[in-house]
Amino acid sequence: MRYWDEHIECMERSTLQEIQFKRLVETVKRVYTSVPYYRKKMQERGIIPEDIKSLDDLKKLPFTTKQDLRDNYPYGLFAVPLSEIVRIHASSGTTGKPTVVGYTKHDIGIWSEVMARTLVAAGADKHSFVQIAYGYGLFTGGLGVHYGAERIGASVIPISSGNTRRQIQLMVDFGTTVLACTPSYALYLAETMEEMEIDKSQLKLKSGVFGAEPWSENMRKEIESKLNIKAYDIYGLSEIIGPGVSFECEYQCGMHINEDHFLPEIINPETGEVLGEGEYGELVFTTITKEGLPLIRYRTRDITALHYDRCKCGRTLVRMEKVIGRTDDMIIIRGVNVFPSQIESVLLEMGEVEPHYQLIVDRINNLDVLEVLVEVSERMFSDEVKKLEQLEKKITKAIEETLGISVKVRLVEPKTIERSEGKAKRVIDKRKI
Ligand code: DLL
């Protein structure tokens, strides 16, 4: 089985666009009548739902931001009576109030469908054992993958995150075939497996669906070789539905967006102007089927590009490139934009260090300083000091060549950088404190 829903996933784009247009109009009407916030925003712009005459008219509509959700905390943007809401999730974020999202029964059905597509594209079927090591709870990762895996009839192992040694023991004992967790946790699992002296040949694992944080192609290679699996990138955000917004197929040339539910655009984050195919910018989504919390032109802050040509897998759904970072994840060092993923790529390409790193930014004597902490292997660390110094120099040079700014690289002992069971914290910016 290659597709979960071939009819939709491989639909002619012209037919898909007709469906999208119809759904967009319905959504705009719904938010105009049911959500005072949207009615007011549209009135301010002098727009009524009848002004949406083609998909292109999407750009007439106002953007929605995370701040708008916060300002309407907790339920202000919901478009149905609260009695229709069957599930609430929330994402904590680093500052302020959490972002609260609500689902109707119908929304949960959509979520299960898009996650079923995601898992099937990663090779799962009813014979699979899916170990869900994303957190269960207010975070959408655990329950989102859970419903999709149940929908395809797989055997679900709802272990949630944490308790790493037990995860591995059960992976062996239960014959897990598909692993679902953040990519950083997948690496942590692999590392713990080595400590437990469990060889990858003892696992039945075939594939993994990893997401919730940015990760590089080199990190993919690391995970694939350490766990002997095919690693798939999956993308999503709570505000839009959770995991299941887009997913990789076997060709891994971008993530197919479930466009019959979520309409994507790429904009210039500074001007709001809509950008063309292949251009990098901020990803924006309009949900066109959701009932509980429909969102119009929601700014994700994630940076990527879209590609519309048909994929080798046969799917016609647009593909988004791997997320290269977030507009708010980007660190500006002496005026130069730096994404943690760039540094990750350089480090992993060198092959001599562990895939664990952290970036520390500080301002010393009014000058921004970027320090890169990199773990080296046990073997390397017990080597001569001279060798370590050479490696430090080599890494510094490679990073400086990529970024075009000077950095300070510090090699640290194995296992000193904090491991994460969920989203990894890569950047510590001391300048804001
Ligand atoms: O992280 C939903 C999710 C769970 C996706 C499990 C995939 C797997 P939030 O906590 O709301 O939702 O965080 C959403 O995480 O805007 C991106 O910045 C980032 N993100 C999610 N998936 C990816 C990915 C979940 N594959 C935010 N690559 C998003 C890069 C990702 N970043």
Side-chain angles (χ1 to χ4, degrees):
M1 186 166 49
R2 284 176 70 202
Y3 314 108
W4 172 250
D5 187 346
E6 184 171 357
H7 171 67
I8 294 286
E9 293 174 56
C10 303
M11 181 175 269
E12 279 304 321
R13 287 206 61 85
S14 55
T15 319
L16 177 65
Q17 282 163 354
E18 278 168 31
I19 294 175
Q20 288 175 323
F21 174 63
K22 201 170 134 255
R23 292 179 172 178
L24 173 65
V25 169
E26 281 164 12
T27 299
V28 174
K29 277 190 191 143
R30 188 139 32 85
V31 297
Y32 191 81
T33 46
S34 319
V35 187
Y37 164 85
Y38 275 122
R39 186 164 51 248
K40 182 161 166 277
K41 256 195 154 177
M42 285 172 62
Q43 280 168 346
E44 278 166 12
R45 292 191 154 213
I47 314 167
I48 52 168
E50 288 68 27
D51 290 330
I52 305 301
K53 298 196 178 71
S54 71
L55 276 178
D56 204 40
D57 288 334
L58 181 61
K59 60 174 181 287
K60 292 183 181 164
L61 294 167
F63 290 117
T64 312
T65 62
K66 205 174 187 75
Q67 191 56 45
D68 295 325
L69 282 168
R70 291 219 174 100
D71 293 345
N72 290 281
Y73 177 86
Y75 305 139
L77 295 190
F78 287 14
V80 293
L82 290 175
S83 57
E84 298 300 309
I85 297 291
V86 300
R87 178 92 66 78
I88 288 169
H89 282 280
S91 71
S92 51
T94 41
T95 49
K97 286 179 181 156
T99 310
V100 182
V101 297
Y103 304 73
T104 64
K105 205 169 169 195
H106 175 253
D107 295 336
I108 297 284
I110 293 171
W111 197 8
S112 313
E113 279 296 309
V114 291
M115 267 316 301
R117 293 181 196 170
T118 302
L119 289 162
V120 167
D125 59 22
K126 62 192 288 243
H127 304 290
S128 303
F129 287 80
V130 184
Q131 181 158 338
I132 303 176
Y134 284 114
Y136 278 67
L138 288 177
F139 176 54
T140 51
L143 281 163
V145 180
H146 185 110
Y147 274 59
E150 277 196 357
R151 177 63 61 101
I152 65 174
S155 308
V156 178
I157 305 166
I159 190 162
S160 194
S161 62
N163 220 334
T164 308
R165 286 180 167 250
R166 187 156 160 265
Q167 296 263 359
I168 292 160
Q169 197 55 55
L170 296 190
M171 210 184 289
V172 175
D173 297 348
F174 291 4
T176 302
T177 58
V178 179
L179 173 64
C181 62
T182 58
S184 53
Y185 194 50
L187 276 178
Y188 184 19
L189 283 165
E191 181 180 75
T192 311
M193 233 168 74
E194 279 168 25
E195 279 173 17
M196 292 168 72
E197 292 178 4
I198 290 182
D199 187 72
K200 56 190 176 189
S201 62
Q202 288 171 258
L203 304 178
K204 295 222 170 69
L205 219 49
K206 291 199 184 77
S207 61
V209 280
F210 305 124
E213 63 186 8
W215 52 307
S216 61
E217 279 304 328
N218 286 323
M219 180 126 158
R220 185 198 320 261
K221 283 188 209 133
E222 284 277 336
I223 296 175
E224 292 190 333
S225 81
K226 289 199 158 145
L227 290 174
N228 195 23
I229 56 171
K230 188 153 170 152
Y232 292 84
D233 195 358
I234 67 168
Y235 168 89
L237 60 163
S238 326
E239 296 89 320
I240 299 306
I241 200 131
V245 173
S246 66
F247 59 96
E248 274 184 341
C249 64
E250 68 212 87
Y251 292 97
Q252 304 193 313
C253 50
M255 291 176 276
H256 291 282
I257 297 175
N258 284 304
E259 268 183 288
D260 51 329
H261 298 291
F262 320 116
L263 210 54
E265 296 170 276
I266 296 285
I267 62 159
N268 174 329
E270 260 115 57
T271 62
E273 174 209 357
V274 179
L275 301 178
E277 176 165 1
E279 289 187 89
Y280 286 95
E282 180 179 347
L283 181 62
V284 170
F285 280 112
T286 301
T287 67
I288 49 176
T289 49
K290 239 171 42 161
E291 293 176 344
L293 179 63
L295 289 178
I296 305 292
R297 304 192 84 198
Y298 184 72
R299 295 185 59 159
T300 64
R301 299 187 181 173
D302 292 320
I303 312 278
T304 185
L306 298 178
H307 298 280
Y308 284 90
D309 50 317
R310 187 187 278 260
C311 180
K312 275 189 273 183
C313 71
R315 287 180 184 81
T316 47
L317 299 173
V318 64
R319 284 164 292 138
M320 57 182 266
E321 285 183 28
K322 251 181 171 326
V323 173
I324 58 173
R326 290 172 57 80
T327 50
D328 50 5
D329 202 49
M330 185 178 80
I331 29 183
I332 305 181
I333 312 283
R334 284 165 260 143
V336 176
N337 298 349
V338 174
F339 287 105
S341 60
Q342 291 175 293
I343 295 175
E344 177 178 306
S345 267
V346 175
L347 292 176
L348 297 188
E349 210 141 88
M350 305 195 49
E352 286 164 274
V353 292
E354 296 291 302
H356 303 286
Y357 66 95
Q358 203 157 43
L359 312 181
I360 300 180
V361 192
D362 208 346
R363 184 160 288 167
I364 299 170
N365 297 333
N366 293 322
L367 192 67
D368 293 336
V369 180
L370 172 61
E371 189 176 29
V372 182
L373 304 191
V374 192
E375 266 184 28
V376 290
S377 61
E378 207 86 56
R379 183 178 46 80
M380 194 75 190
F381 213 78
S382 52
D383 248 329
E384 298 160 44
V385 176
K386 203 164 140 231
K387 271 202 183 155
L388 284 176
E389 279 173 357
Q390 276 169 352
L391 179 62
E392 214 166 62
K393 275 204 190 112
K394 196 170 144 196
I395 298 175
T396 309
K397 188 161 168 271
I399 297 179
E400 289 183 346
E401 270 168 14
T402 303
L403 302 181
I405 53 165
S406 61
V407 297
K408 185 172 170 348
V409 170
R410 185 148 58 93
L411 298 183
V412 297
E413 278 186 59
K415 314 216 168 113
T416 40
I417 292 175
E418 199 191 333
R419 301 291 186 262
S420 98
E421 294 169 352
K423 297 178 193 251
K425 185 160 173 49
R426 303 287 191 200
V427 183
I428 299 175
D429 196 338
K430 294 186 175 164
R431 294 174 301 184
K432 286 180 203 138
I433 302 166

